[in-house]
Amino acid sequence: MAEPLDGTSPVVLSTSSVFPESTASAFALARQLGYDGIELMVGTDSVSADVDQVADLSAYHEVPVLAVHAPTLLLTQRTWGIDPWEKLERSAMAANRLGAGVVVVHPPFRWQRGYAQDFTTGVRRLAQSTGIRFAVENMYPWRGPGGGELRAYAPSWDCAQLDCDHLTLDLSHAATARLSSLELVRDWGERLAHVHLTDGTHSSADEHLLPGDGDQDPSAVLAELVKTGYRGQIVLEVGTRGMSRTERRDALASCLAFARQGLNREGQG
């Protein structure tokens, strides 16, 4: 299975979209449903952090790994060590080993002071030395019970405020930040390099709803991406935790059809 030959964006399945099923299940589903590739969320299970096993899964299912999500979440703080630079270096090494061209990374947490201080220059240096595109993901302010914002990221949760060459747009994160994904697509311009297609509402929770189940108008986002000539990956990163296996398969099939219809690729698989 390879990227689309018509020059349109590949539609990719994040391994996080099958949680609590395994990384192996994500590859099997991507093959069955006809996704163009996988985004590997490192740290969701032990296999995801074992690059050799991931390479074997990719070869067995004939599904390429097109992106690697670095283990920079709170839940993956000890995956691939505790040094954030080591995590990014190992993510780039994994991407090169697997043939992926993109590493997704979150902005630093505020308590990672040294890392935060050198983040933008360090990411640019790594991108130049490894040949991998590092796309920094938009996050959102953490809110306390009274609605007040807690400063969790430094220098900002808003990746557009950072001096980064490439950005990842996550529609659910935009919803939690109470922003419009469509406006972000227009504002970011050529800095937009990667998209997590999902949905959400202006809730304090990061919902990762199926596209169309929230208020981010993902159909309009896809139309705008087509209009602007975007050629980066469209990654389905949705929450299916409460679903049965059959429900999960049907939901991810629906997500794939939604994305391809929005990219004017109906009927391809």
Side-chain angles (χ1 to χ4, degrees):
M1 191 179 302
E3 294 189 32
L5 298 177
D6 59 1
T8 59
S9 296
V11 182
V12 180
L13 179 65
S14 169
T15 55
S16 67
S17 293
V18 306
F19 184 82
E21 290 193 62
S22 66
T23 298
S25 295
F27 276 93
L29 271 174
R31 173 68 179 184
Q32 292 168 17
L33 299 177
Y35 277 85
D36 296 313
I38 282 285
E39 175 172 304
L40 175 69
M41 176 69 82
V42 178
T44 51
D45 61 26
S46 60
V47 170
S48 70
D50 187 322
V51 179
D52 289 337
Q53 288 194 62
V54 173
D56 288 344
L57 285 170
S58 178
Y60 177 78
H61 291 286
E62 299 181 305
V63 176
V65 178
L66 300 181
V68 173
H69 195 307
T72 51
L73 290 71
L74 269 180
L75 294 176
T76 59
Q77 286 299 287
R78 295 191 174 277
T79 302
W80 285 354
I82 59 174
D83 179 356
W85 289 117
E86 180 183 359
K87 291 173 181 287
L88 297 197
E89 290 166 2
R90 291 187 66 171
S91 295
M93 290 173 61
N96 273 319
R97 165 80 168 83
L98 297 167
V102 178
V103 166
V104 179
V105 58
H106 288 186
F109 292 111
R110 63 174 176 78
W111 53 85
Q112 297 172 311
R113 295 181 181 178
Y115 176 55
Q117 185 175 11
D118 193 39
F119 180 68
T120 56
T121 56
V123 164
R124 185 172 288 118
R125 184 169 57 246
L126 267 177
Q128 291 171 348
S129 65
T130 63
I132 297 296
R133 177 174 290 187
F134 282 77
V136 182
E137 188 169 1
N138 62 312
M139 297 305 292
Y140 47 84
W142 292 5
R143 297 185 178 90
E149 292 188 6
L150 307 176
R151 186 167 175 262
Y153 299 97
S156 176
W157 54 265
D158 183 358
C159 62
Q161 300 302 313
L162 309 181
D163 182 24
C164 299
D165 297 326
H166 304 295
L167 306 178
T168 294
L169 172 62
D170 184 297
L171 276 68
S172 178
H173 295 176
T176 307
R178 298 171 184 170
L179 298 173
S180 162
S181 293
L182 182 59
E183 291 181 8
L184 293 180
V185 170
R186 293 167 175 166
D187 290 345
W188 292 0
E190 293 185 358
R191 297 175 75 196
L192 176 60
H194 200 69
V195 173
H196 285 166
L197 184 64
T198 177
D199 212 337
T201 63
H202 289 181
S203 163
S204 60
D206 180 18
E207 299 169 296
H208 282 273
L209 303 176
L210 302 185
D213 285 354
D215 57 22
Q216 285 296 297
D217 200 356
S219 292
V221 170
L222 289 172
E224 185 68 15
L225 293 174
V226 171
K227 177 182 175 182
T228 59
Y230 172 83
R231 291 294 181 266
Q233 298 168 22
I234 304 293
V235 181
L236 272 300
E237 189 182 274
V238 295
T240 64
R241 183 170 186 168
M243 298 181 186
S244 68
R245 177 166 292 184
T246 298
E247 291 170 337
R248 180 173 295 113
R249 185 188 187 284
D250 290 347
L252 295 177
S254 176
C255 287
L256 177 60
F258 181 97
R260 287 195 168 144
Q261 181 177 8
L263 296 170
N264 300 315
R265 289 177 56 197
E266 297 98 325
Q268 298 186 31

